């Protein structure tokens, strides 16, 4: 676990901007931003669907943007959730990636860092800390 850098705070802001612009109740509620080792930042928003199993997380959309542009090498990724109109908490907050996104992030870069919420506020952890003993076809030594 490590404290956030200025670049990490900018990444949270990029994810927040993405969902602030595209928020739609029940359809786009989560924003994500990914910073690659090249320094480039890509953002995405969640794609909810009438059939829930068809939904796509914001992290996957942001990663897809990067891969589409030929970029690889995840430095850090973050997701933020926009509040619903009837929620008392009106702030956009950092959320942990779901289990499927943890798998996806690990598959694309085992050295990736993820900004997650915590009792003292958001902080950065390695993806390996979020998905210990992950399934792998390779023999782990
Ligand atoms: Zn997810």
């Amino acid at each position: 676990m490590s404290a956030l850098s200025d670049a990490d705070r900018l990444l949270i802001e990029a994810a927040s901007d993405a969902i602030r612009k595209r928020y739609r109740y029940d359809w786009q509620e989560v924003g994500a931003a990914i910073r690659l080792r090249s320094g480039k930042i890509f953002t995405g928003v969640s794609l909810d669907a009438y059939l829930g199993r068809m939904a796509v997380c914001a992290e996957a959309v942001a990663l897809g943007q990067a891969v589409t542009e030929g970029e690889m090498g995840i430095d850090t990724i973050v997701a933020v959730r926009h509040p619903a109109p009837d929620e008392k908490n009106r702030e956009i907050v950092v959320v942990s990636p779901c289990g499927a996104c943890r798998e996806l992030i690990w598959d694309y870069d085992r050295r990736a860092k993820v900004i997650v919420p915590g009792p003292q506020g958001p902080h950065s952890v390695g993806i390996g800390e979020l998905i210990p003993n992950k399934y792998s076809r390779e023999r782990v030594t």
Side-chain angles (χ1 to χ4, degrees), residues 57 59 97-98 100-101:
C57 292
E59 296 97 315
C98 74
C101 284

Side-chain angles (χ1 to χ4, degrees), residues 14-30:
S16 300
D17 280 350
I19 195 57
R20 212 176 275 123
K21 283 181 192 157
R22 302 291 173 236
Y23 175 77
R24 244 187 349 143
Y25 178 68
D26 253 5
W27 290 97
Q28 279 75 51
E29 298 189 330
V30 176

Side-chain angles (χ1 to χ4, degrees), residues 36-81:
L36 303 171
R37 290 209 184 79
S38 66
K40 289 186 185 168
I41 291 176
F42 292 88
T43 60
V45 297
S46 57
L47 304 176
D48 218 323
Y50 186 74
L51 287 174
R53 69 176 186 266
M54 300 307 296
V56 180
C57 292
E59 296 97 315
V61 174
L63 178 61
Q65 296 259 36
V67 172
T68 301
E69 295 302 318
E71 297 283 337
M72 295 289 268
I74 303 171
D75 183 274
T76 303
I77 187 166
V78 65
V80 298
R81 182 180 172 274

